[in-house]
């Protein structure tokens, strides 16, 4: 009976995975806010969206893998 051994991801591998996730979430949020800007036009909700995008990006980069 073969036993599979799961190797833990190295710290650099975990950091690279985290960075890819951060880049993906940032790009998706940026796209959503840009589409909203084009579709609706600038208003107070637009600035709220940009503020949320900024706070989420800062939070994602502050979290360590």
């Amino acid at each position: 009976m073969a036993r599979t051994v799961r190797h833990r991801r190295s710290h650099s591998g975990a950091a690279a995975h985290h960075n890819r996730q951060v880049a993906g979430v940032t790009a998706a949020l940026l796209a959503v806010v840009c589409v909203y800007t084009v579709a609706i036009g600038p208003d107070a909700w637009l600035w709220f969206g940009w503020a949320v995008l900024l706070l989420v990006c800062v939070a994602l980069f502050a979290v360590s893998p």
Side-chain angles (χ1 to χ4, degrees):
M1 182 163 130
R3 181 177 167 194
T4 49
V5 177
R6 299 185 85 192
H7 297 282
R8 296 184 65 183
R9 189 182 303 166
S10 68
H11 180 68
S12 62
H17 179 70
H18 175 74
N19 290 341
R20 283 192 301 273
Q21 285 180 327
V22 167
V25 169
T26 302
L29 289 172
L30 181 60
V32 166
V33 173
C34 286
V35 167
Y36 179 81
T37 302
V38 171
I40 304 299
D43 63 0
W45 284 108
L46 171 67
W47 297 113
F48 176 75
W50 281 112
V52 169
L53 175 64
L54 176 66
L55 291 174
V56 169
C57 291
V58 168
L60 286 172
F61 280 106
V63 174
S64 61

